[in-house]
Every structure is written in structure tokens, then in C-alpha cells.
Amino acid sequence: MTAALAIARREFAAYFRTPLGWVVIALYLALSGVVFALAVLAPAAPASMRPFFGLSGWVLLFVAPAVSMRLISDEIRSGTIEPLMTAPVSDWAVMAGKLAAALAFLVALLAPTGVYVAVLERVSDPDLGPVLAGYLGLALAGALYLSVGAFFSTLTGSQTLAYLGALFTLLLVRLATGEGVAGRAPDAVADALYAVSLDRRLGAFAAGVVDTADASFFVVASAWLYVLSVIALQSRRWR
Amino acid sequence: MHSTADIPAPDAIAADGLHKRFGAVRAVRGVSLTVARGEIVGLLGPNGAGKSTTMRMLAGFLPPDEGRVRIGGFDTLSDSIEARRRIGYLPESTPLYPEMTVAGLLEFRARLAGVPRRRRADAIGRAIERCWLGEVARRRVGTLSKGYRQRVGLAAAILHDPPALLLDEPTNGLDPAQISAMRGLMRDLAADRALVVSSHILAEVEKTCGRVVVIAGGRVRADGPIGALARAGEAACLIEVRIGPGDADDLTRALASLAGVSRAAPVGLEANGSPWRRWRLEGGPDARGLAERAGALLASRGVPLRELRPEEPTLERAFLDLIGRPEDKDDPA
């Protein structure tokens, strides 16, 4: 536990000691700020954060793998994986610490957007329920995206490869299970695709509907990726 | 004297029949090694001999294809965490997190190594003092010179006071003063620890290690005290005698036929106007008494002798001889 916490703290601090963390936060806030100003604060628009959540659901798909691509890849490339994996710490604790740091960074990334909610609160009267639900959806989907990036990062010492692997996997899943593809597929296939549809579940959260099935989908999928990552990390000991 | 409490403690490091291959390359082929506390063992071999692969297997970073490693009696695979608690490992090229400060990095590594909270500050302070890091404790690791980084790596490896220390090329890239300081530190650390130091530099090992294990081609070529290894080298002797014209070939033949001589050859220039000529005799590893036999031969032939000098076998020659030995042809793939 001490070790996992130590890893999480080191990793989280590393985001802010290297330009990566600041750049990611700045770019995300700039982009989401534009959407907030143009779509949410638009004249006659409903007092709702939905456009912001819709955009963020997509932006996180690109941003989260960039946050987690370095988790293991960087250790492999720099060789620090040697002291890390010869320390008396289980691979479960190593991966848990790494993911916890990435999740904490995700929270740090989303936290400043609370300002948007405060602004919207000043100019109109939004319903806070759907706002909280939307944030919950973003955090859950973000966790899944991070886990995909973390998994790919255990496979290679190249952060670029880890990022691309995660991004293309996420794009494929999101597009294949979205309305565009699943909607045209035969019924049996469509049902299966809808069952793992990220769009549908994220849309429900953004609309203010918190369904335990949707929430557990993201949690369980992230947990599975955590297990896969640990196995991939352990497999370095068999090779 | 012996009670049941006197069961001998297991060897700090015990490796048995280690094999490792990477694709078609058989990096390590049957390395066995035991190291007790208080011993400094030099793992010596040319580049690519399998030193780092062996070190990684000892540290539990790489699993051996065959064989096993036990640290303080704990298997690095089946009892991995317990074994890792007892290892301090400085990997080759000293990988560290460049964005951390020295103190921050040591704090992190102490937590990772499971040093209890109340002993942490103490352990870090001691490591900083031992490795002379006091003046750079607040600096970022990435801004340090190679010598300092090496010392940070070493400090991080000894934080949890491990009984087994594995240092992979610890003096690589250090200047002579730093190498000398590192040597003193290693001797100091080995007082109550088992220490394995790898190097491809002979002089390095000769000065620090009581025992040398020579590795080449993934195999152990020699394992023993420095002195014994040196004695295993070829003996040789140099003679300088006065001979008449035309006697040279005859004398060469006579010297070459002496017992224990593997090669006899004249050395130096022939036509320098001086009647004194030198020969060099080389014997195999067991050529004791080479100089005496050569002296007796010359005396019996009445050849005037001006110099008879046995050459001490050196570690360097023993080393070159060991690593130059052709690989066994008949080993199974």
C-alpha cells in the first residue's frame, strides 16, 4: 500500500514536472472553453452543459491515451523499470499506483471546468443533477480510456506506439459501436454492438441519466484492462 | 559447541545452472555462483560475455530459462518478493528519474523498498552520507554529472540495508578519483554483505575483489581468489646467453624440447654486433621450475648465461587466456 501510494505520488508529480501535464491541461481547457463559450453560452441555448459533455467525451478519447501512454513505456525506455521491478513490490501495486496517478491527473484536468458551471449558474438556472451526472460519465469514460492507454504502455518502450495503439483501439470501438455503424448492422450484430456502445452510455450520462448498468460497464471494463496490464507487466518476467 | 540454533545461514547469493537465451542468441549457458556475506566477487568478462544478463537474473529482473537463483535462501521466482527485499541492485547505466531531486528520489526508493516510516529519514541520511551526496541532495537528478548519478544509484540500492548487493559496472564513466572513492565505498559496504560487481576492466576487479569469476561466451571460465587465478596463467621465463654463430637453431630446438615448455623463441635483434642473444620460454599453466630446468640445460651445455628471469604469471595474461579459449564444440544446442 505504501509502495502503491509512493508510485502514485511520484507519477502524479511527474506530470507537473514535465511539460506534458501542463500542455495537456492548457489545450483541453482552451478547446472546451471555446465550446462552452460558443455552444453552452449561446443566446437562446438551453441552460445545460450537454454540448460541453458531448465534446469532452470525444476530446478525452484523444487526451487520455496521451496521459497514460508514458506510465510503463517511459520506465521501459529509460531503464527505470529495472529498479522498479526488482523492488519488493507486487506488479498489482505497481499498476494500481500508476493508474491512480493517471486518474488523479484526469480529475485535475476536469476540475478547472467547474468554472464553466459557475458561470452558467450566474447567467441562467441550470439543473445541477445532469451536470453532476455528466461529470460522472466523463470520469468513468476517462478511466476506461486511461486504462486502454496504460495497457498499451506495458507492451512497448515507445510512447508514440502506445498512444497510437490505444487511440486506434478506442476510435475503432467507439465508431463501430456508434449509431453510424451499429445502426446499419443486422439486428443481432447491432444488439451486440449497442451493448458495448460508448456513445450510448456517455449520452445517457450527459442527459442526466445515471444508470448503474452504464456505470458498472465502465468500471468493469477498466478493471479488466487493469488485470490485462498487470498480466502484460508480469509477462516481462517470463520472457 | 553446535546447537540447533547454529544451522548455517543460507548463502546470501546462490545461483545454480543459469541459462538464458534471447531468440537464437544464447547469452548465458550454465552459470553457477555462490557468494557469502563479507565477500566481494568480481564478475569479469569482455563486453557481450553475458555479465549483465547474469546480473539481471541474480536481481530477479529476468527469469532464467533454466536454473534458479536464491537470495538469502529465497527463490527469485517462487519467493520473489522476499528475495527482492534482500537485494540491492544498481543496473548498468544507472537508470533514475531525471525530474526528481536526489532527496526526493531516495525518499521514493525507500518507500518502494519497504523501509518503515520511522526508519526512513535515518536510512536516507545514512545513504546520503555514505555516498557523499550531501551537497547535491536538493539538486535534480537530471542535472547531475555521471559520477554523482552513479552514487545516487548506489545510495538508492543500499537504502533498505540489503544483505546482497549487485552492482553492474558501477565505475563505468567515472574519473580516476571517483573510481578510487567508489572502490573504498564498495569495500566498506562488503564488510557485512555479499557483493557482486561486474566489470570488463581487469584492473578494477583486481583492486577491489577478493574473488573473481571470469565469464566469457555465457559460461564461467574461472572462479577463485585473484592470486589463484593469476597462478593459473602461463608461466614464462626469459634467458640471455652468449652463443657462437650458427648455434641459435640448435639451442632453440634444445630449449623447446625441455619438459613443460610449450614454446621457445629468440627475441630481439640478431645482428646488432653483440654475441648476447635472448630467448623467451613459455610454459603451460603447470610449468613450475621452468627457469631451473632452463638453467640446468644451459649449464650442461656450457653456454655462458647473463640473465635468467622467470616471469610472474599476471592476472592479465590469465584473463586473456581464459576469455580467448575457443568455445566447446560438443555442447548440446
Side-chain angles (χ1 to χ4, degrees):
Chain A
M1 191 59 191
T2 316
L5 263 176
I7 290 169
R9 280 172 60 170
R10 193 204 73 73
E11 201 67 50
F12 184 72
Y15 281 119
F16 297 99
R17 288 196 189 125
T18 54
L20 178 81
W22 298 108
V23 170
V24 165
I25 289 181
L27 292 179
Y28 172 70
L29 289 183
L31 193 59
S32 62
V34 169
V35 169
F36 175 73
L38 297 184
V40 177
L41 291 184
S48 148
M49 291 282 281
R50 270 182 92 160
F52 162 79
F53 289 128
L55 170 97
S56 290
W58 273 106
V59 171
L60 280 187
L61 190 97
F62 291 85
V63 166
V67 170
S68 56
M69 66 183 181
R70 59 182 298 279
L71 290 179
I72 302 293
S73 292
D74 196 42
E75 306 259 6
I76 297 173
R77 188 197 48 78
S78 71
T80 46
I81 186 114
E82 285 199 51
L84 184 65
M85 292 190 74
T86 52
V89 182
S90 74
D91 298 336
W92 297 95
V94 169
M95 214 57 223
K98 295 274 182 185
L99 281 174
L103 278 172
F105 181 81
L106 180 72
V107 171
L109 180 73
L110 292 177
T113 63
V115 172
Y116 306 155
V117 181
V119 170
L120 191 64
E121 189 76 9
R122 285 293 289 266
V123 298
S124 73
D125 185 25
D127 188 355
L128 281 185
V131 171
L132 291 178
Y135 273 111
L136 181 63
L138 280 188
L140 287 169
L144 177 61
Y145 299 165
L146 288 174
S147 311
V148 173
F151 169 69
F152 276 94
S153 131
T154 61
L155 303 181
T156 168
S158 159
Q159 296 189 30
T160 313
L161 268 183
Y163 178 73
L164 289 177
L167 180 64
F168 278 84
T169 304
L170 285 170
L171 278 176
L172 189 72
V173 170
R174 181 137 189 196
L175 292 176
T177 62
E179 201 58 48
V181 174
R184 279 173 225 164
D187 281 356
V189 180
D191 286 350
L193 290 177
Y194 274 131
V196 291
S197 172
L198 303 179
D199 269 350
R200 183 172 61 79
R201 294 177 196 276
L202 264 176
F205 278 110
V209 182
V210 179
D211 183 342
T212 12
D214 292 336
S216 4
F217 169 81
F218 287 114
V219 171
V220 169
S222 305
W224 267 111
L225 279 156
Y226 165 61
V227 172
L228 278 182
S229 306
V230 173
I231 292 171
L233 197 60
Q234 273 172 347
S235 79
R236 304 200 145 258
R237 298 191 201 278
W238 318 328
R239 284 180 257 165
Chain B
M1 290 296 285
H2 287 267
S3 69
T4 46
D6 286 334
I7 296 165
D11 281 306
I13 301 169
D16 192 22
L18 300 182
H19 284 259
K20 186 75 196 178
R21 67 191 303 164
F22 301 105
V25 181
R26 300 166 70 206
V28 172
R29 326 194 264 174
V31 168
S32 298
L33 178 70
T34 54
V35 187
R37 279 186 179 225
E39 238 188 329
I40 308 187
V41 170
L43 200 59
L44 187 63
N47 290 326
K51 296 189 301 288
S52 281
T53 305
T54 302
M55 286 298 238
R56 285 174 168 166
M57 286 193 281
L58 293 179
F61 180 68
L62 276 182
D65 293 340
E66 274 173 58
R68 63 191 295 206
V69 177
R70 271 164 300 169
I71 306 289
F74 293 97
D75 192 294
T76 50
L77 288 183
S78 58
D79 259 325
S80 180
I81 299 280
E82 281 306 315
R84 281 186 258 162
R85 273 189 222 289
R86 290 161 175 79
I87 299 173
Y89 172 44
L90 176 68
E92 195 183 6
S93 80
T94 324
L96 301 167
Y97 302 103
E99 80 279 357
M100 298 184 92
T101 64
V102 172
L105 184 105
L106 292 178
E107 173 78 32
F108 169 68
R109 290 285 296 270
R111 284 169 199 253
L112 216 54
V115 179
R117 178 203 296 265
R118 65 200 146 74
R119 286 218 303 269
R120 226 176 274 150
D122 203 37
I124 293 167
R126 213 173 47 234
I128 283 180
E129 191 185 331
R130 270 197 138 149
C131 303
W132 320 283
L133 291 168
E135 61 202 71
V136 295
R138 296 282 143 210
R139 293 253 308 265
R140 292 221 171 161
V141 171
T143 66
L144 297 178
S145 68
K146 172 100 187 161
Y148 270 119
R149 276 211 301 277
Q150 206 81 306
R151 274 141 63 179
V152 174
L154 185 59
I158 60 174
L159 282 167
H160 55 305
D161 203 13
L165 255 186
L166 308 167
L167 311 179
D168 200 352
E169 310 252 358
T171 54
N172 219 354
L174 301 192
D175 67 34
Q178 292 169 333
I179 288 176
S180 161
M182 182 65 96
R183 243 184 247 138
L185 180 59
M186 283 193 276
R187 273 193 286 262
D188 183 30
L189 287 170
D192 54 352
R193 288 184 180 82
L195 208 79
V196 179
V197 183
S198 82
S199 179
H200 61 272
I201 302 162
L202 182 71
E204 197 51 53
V205 166
E206 205 171 356
K207 285 188 181 126
T208 347
C209 308
R211 189 176 132 208
V212 178
V213 173
V214 178
I215 291 197
R219 291 171 197 278
V220 174
R221 303 287 176 174
D223 180 351
I226 291 263
L229 179 60
R231 279 193 296 281
E234 288 180 4
C237 109
L238 199 73
I239 58 174
E240 187 166 350
V241 296
R242 194 175 70 203
I243 50 164
D247 290 347
D249 290 346
D250 188 36
L251 186 61
T252 304
R253 269 193 298 279
L255 289 168
S257 64
L258 270 176
V261 172
S262 59
R263 205 174 100 89
V267 289
L269 291 172
E270 191 179 351
N272 56 359
S274 159
W276 294 98
R277 297 269 333 259
R278 308 180 110 195
W279 269 263
R280 190 160 186 284
L281 307 183
E282 288 172 10
D286 298 317
R288 277 175 229 286
L290 193 63
E292 288 87 336
R293 283 198 296 279
L297 173 81
L298 296 170
S300 73
R301 297 181 133 225
V303 179
L305 176 67
R306 189 162 78 173
E307 186 184 358
L308 175 69
R309 178 155 53 90
E311 282 182 358
E312 279 296 313
T314 62
L315 185 58
E316 185 173 3
R317 286 193 40 212
F319 176 53
L320 290 175
D321 184 35
L322 283 167
I323 64 173
R325 195 181 291 170
E327 314 235 325
D328 310 15
K329 295 280 193 298
D330 57 343
D331 58 295

